[in-house]
Amino acid sequence: MPEYPYSLHPGLDVHLVPAPTRMSPSIGGGTGHVIDEDTGIETTGPGSERVARWLRAAVGAATGLPLPPAGGNGNRVVLRVVPGLGEELGSPEAYRFTADGHLVVIDGASEAGLFWGAQTFRQLLGPEAFRRAPVTGKRRWEVPAVAIQDAPRFRWRGLLLDVARHFMPKDGVLRYLDLMAAHKLNVLHLHLTDDQGWRLEIKRHPRLTEVGSWRARTRFGHRASPLWEEKPHGGFYTQDDIREIVAYAAERHVTVVPEIDVPGHSQAAIAAYPELGNSDVVDTASLTVWDDWGINPNVLAPTDTTLRFYEGVFEEVLELFPSPFVHIGGDECPKDQWRRSPAAQARIKELGLADEDELQAWFVRHFDTWLTARGRRLVGWDEILEGGLADGATVSSWRGYAGGITAARAGHDVVMCPEQQVYLDHRQDGGADEPVPIGYVRTLEDVYRFEPIPPQLTPEEARHVLGTQANVWTEVTEDQGRVDYQAFPRLAAFAEVAWSALPGPAERDFADFERRMAAHYRRLDALGVAYRPPTGPLPWQRRPGVLGRPIEGAPPNV
């Protein structure tokens, strides 16, 4: 259990988020370790120099200190990759931290563990260490005399960014990778395609971005809102942009998982290439990139043409993303067009399938087999359970816990991301002051008490829970400031749930978390995060009218 027996050095922040497994005074006691112009960095082990390079860039920029390579003497920060530490502490991402006298020693079970230890070191330096340039004249920085042992609870600690509904430019994605790393999150799920936009350059199919990356207008607010933004919206990432994002993430030990949605959520692709749609029952040539929210009826046709097209798309995706996991969506696929389509019905008969649900399962299994043959693993939303679970598929359980429980009991891996708990675009308060009050009310405390492993699972079944993920959908979060406001501070609470060895939800010490957050808000300030103030929306964030109150008669999840 986390231990916080005291607070050292008044004015120096020692309240860590997420909480470490164990923190106590260092054996030698003392007043802590001074970081100054004489401090150097000593490295040992594979990858330690890469962590040192990040530390010099991040902490060196904030402190103005050079932190040069150091030998075996003097005031120094020692970075070591230590074989066997992972077995001792229970994770290849584990680290051990000691600050005492003239040494700070960070031992990592791997390069990733060493990097997480370096993030802890940065927190211990104080909030000014999170700025991009020095803001104080001090040339001496202190780290308290502490000893820490730490390891993550889950190996999948994820954040979904929906860049399809509202495009986030590349620099915004890089910024979120830094924010994830600062909270020890390690999977960025990029939702790259949807009805409202296609955000990834595919060289063999250029119209996906020439046509599919822009829409003429956008509904402003949730789908019951009468307001529209009468201006084009769009953008996309070039393949070099993606290579940069992936490389930047790798330096921070974050895996980028791409999502290419099939067979639903595909109107942007059909608008670019009408032959992908069910043209025997819909005039697909007249479709445009969708400007509204909700579940769209226009889905991919289950034809060989569609399969070959998306195989080509995924070939380029695999070249860009080294992630072992590739997300194919699979959610919210209405079957009405397939029921009316002679071509789809002929496909069902040809394959000997029972119905349209089994047709979707066939579609998913095709890409599961295709990805497996290329050494990758398919991930899909829990609708891929309908019509039979695809062999080898991993399930993102979003419609509550049920899909994840079913999948885990069937021996399939699961990422828990139930919308009732960790959809961060949903409202943070039950009052009318939320900017766009959609979905379930989930406060900071609610997120802190979220438990990713359902109690219905046996210990053996629970081993299939790879981890958990918070999802930020962007129908009503139209820019970076709104994404920040919805994500933070709840993402800090989620990060602690994903990383720390917390007790059960009812026994969690939320008061202690709030106490540590009082210091962490200063770090978020230094990082420029436009978080929701702990006391609620500021006056200028209260919008009257349709965006300032729930619409009468609208369902809660709009």
Side-chain angles (χ1 to χ4, degrees):
M1 292 297 301
E3 297 178 2
Y4 298 97
Y6 61 98
S7 179
L8 288 175
H9 304 291
L12 221 174
D13 184 3
V14 296
H15 305 306
L16 300 176
V17 176
T21 305
R22 185 176 298 276
M23 184 173 76
S24 60
S26 61
I27 294 174
T31 59
H33 177 73
V34 173
I35 308 294
D36 58 21
E37 290 184 345
D38 295 326
T39 302
I41 299 178
E42 177 184 331
T43 58
T44 303
S48 58
E49 183 51 44
R50 283 189 291 271
V51 177
R53 187 165 59 243
W54 174 85
L55 201 58
R56 288 189 189 98
V59 172
T63 62
L65 301 176
L67 302 174
N73 296 303
N75 184 22
R76 64 195 188 278
V77 177
V78 179
L79 305 178
R80 305 186 300 198
V81 175
V82 179
L85 185 61
E87 185 174 348
E88 177 186 342
L89 298 184
S91 170
E93 295 182 85
Y95 70 90
R96 187 165 52 209
F97 179 100
T98 305
D100 191 16
H102 65 283
L103 283 178
V104 168
V105 179
I106 308 174
D107 293 333
S110 62
E111 183 183 339
L114 189 61
F115 180 75
W116 304 131
Q119 290 286 353
T120 294
F121 172 67
R122 189 188 190 190
Q123 285 201 20
L124 290 169
L125 282 170
E128 292 84 2
F130 287 81
R131 296 192 178 273
R132 297 184 184 181
V135 296
T136 74
K138 67 179 181 180
R139 305 301 292 172
R140 287 165 55 90
W141 298 67
E142 284 191 57
V143 175
V146 294
I148 296 170
Q149 290 187 3
D150 202 8
R153 181 185 181 192
F154 293 110
R155 60 188 175 111
W156 186 303
R157 306 180 301 279
L159 171 68
L160 177 143
L161 279 181
D162 171 13
V163 297
R165 271 55 174 270
H166 278 100
F167 179 63
M168 179 178 286
K170 179 194 67 179
D171 284 354
V173 177
L174 299 179
R175 173 178 177 268
Y176 259 84
L177 286 167
D178 282 328
L179 292 173
M180 290 177 65
H183 292 83
K184 299 184 173 72
L185 298 172
N186 70 342
V187 177
L188 174 62
H189 175 168
L190 268 187
H191 184 75
L192 290 163
T193 73
D194 214 296
D195 300 301
Q196 297 87 0
W198 184 286
R199 307 298 178 209
L200 176 64
E201 178 188 28
I202 300 296
K203 291 187 180 296
R204 72 190 70 187
H205 302 306
R207 286 177 58 84
L208 286 172
T209 47
E210 290 172 359
V211 174
S213 68
W214 285 89
R215 59 179 180 263
R217 65 174 190 166
T218 301
R219 187 182 292 278
F220 188 71
H222 45 60
R223 61 179 178 264
S225 165
L227 306 180
W228 293 86
E229 286 189 315
E230 297 289 349
K231 62 181 181 181
H233 176 85
F236 67 93
Y237 307 109
T238 68
Q239 295 202 351
D240 280 346
D241 289 338
I242 292 296
R243 292 185 181 97
E244 182 182 356
I245 288 169
V246 168
Y248 195 85
E251 289 177 354
R252 287 147 184 80
H253 297 277
V254 176
T255 299
V256 183
V257 175
E259 180 180 354
I260 305 295
D261 249 311
V262 296
H265 287 290
S266 297
Q267 182 160 321
I270 298 169
Y273 292 94
E275 64 271 22
L276 298 174
N278 296 282
S279 55
D280 54 346
V281 292
V282 176
D283 179 14
T284 56
S286 68
L287 293 178
T288 59
V289 178
W290 206 28
D291 57 13
D292 210 345
W293 314 127
I295 299 176
N296 188 298
N298 294 297
V299 302
L300 297 175
T303 64
D304 289 340
T305 297
T306 300
L307 296 180
R308 300 294 88 77
F309 182 97
Y310 274 88
E311 286 170 2
V313 168
F314 282 117
E315 282 178 5
E316 296 193 28
V317 167
L318 299 192
E319 291 174 1
L320 295 169
F321 295 91
S323 163
F325 294 93
V326 175
H327 209 293
I328 57 91
D331 63 314
E332 297 180 329
C333 178
K335 309 298 193 299
D336 293 345
Q337 290 184 0
W338 288 354
R339 292 187 183 97
R340 294 187 290 114
S341 165
Q345 292 302 310
R347 192 65 150 181
I348 290 172
K349 184 176 181 181
E350 170 197 340
L351 296 170
L353 304 177
D355 54 22
E356 292 76 19
D357 284 343
E358 287 195 5
L359 184 62
Q360 179 173 346
W362 164 82
F363 201 104
V364 171
R365 275 195 299 271
H366 174 87
F367 287 104
D368 181 37
T369 301
W370 190 92
L371 288 167
T372 299
R374 288 154 180 81
R376 306 298 182 95
R377 296 183 61 184
L378 178 145
V379 192
W381 302 109
D382 54 51
E383 284 94 330
I384 67 174
L385 293 163
E386 298 170 4
L389 190 65
D391 295 337
T394 297
V395 171
S396 298
S397 187
W398 76 275
R399 295 180 299 177
Y401 289 98
I405 292 170
T406 299
R409 286 176 173 169
H412 293 264
D413 288 340
V414 177
V415 176
M416 284 293 184
C417 48
E419 66 167 332
Q420 298 89 339
Q421 308 294 334
V422 289
Y423 270 34
L424 300 187
D425 53 312
H426 286 189
R427 66 189 81 182
Q428 301 176 69
D429 187 85
D433 288 338
E434 288 288 275
V436 185
I438 70 165
Y440 299 94
V441 175
R442 283 298 172 263
T443 65
L444 181 65
E445 183 172 359
D446 290 334
V447 173
Y448 190 68
R449 297 192 188 281
F450 163 59
E451 173 50 48
I453 296 183
Q456 298 94 323
L457 296 180
T458 67
E460 183 63 32
E461 292 165 347
R463 291 190 183 96
H464 287 290
V465 179
L466 299 179
T468 183
Q469 179 172 290
N471 295 344
V472 180
W473 301 102
T474 61
E475 290 96 331
V476 299
T477 51
E478 65 276 2
D479 55 34
Q480 179 176 287
R482 286 284 292 113
V483 172
D484 279 6
Y485 184 90
Q486 292 300 126
F488 288 97
R490 292 185 295 180
L491 190 63
F494 172 81
E496 184 148 311
V497 169
W499 176 277
S500 303
L502 297 176
E507 291 76 37
R508 292 177 190 169
D509 190 347
F510 181 67
D512 175 70
F513 176 73
E514 284 191 303
R515 179 179 63 83
R516 288 180 285 114
M517 278 302 297
H520 196 64
Y521 285 120
R522 294 174 60 205
R523 299 183 190 119
L524 297 179
D525 288 336
L527 288 165
V529 177
Y531 56 85
R532 182 184 194 270
T535 56
L538 297 175
W540 56 266
Q541 292 166 319
R542 297 172 181 166
R543 302 182 186 181
V546 66
L547 297 181
R549 65 177 187 276
I551 290 181
E552 194 172 324
N557 190 22
V558 296

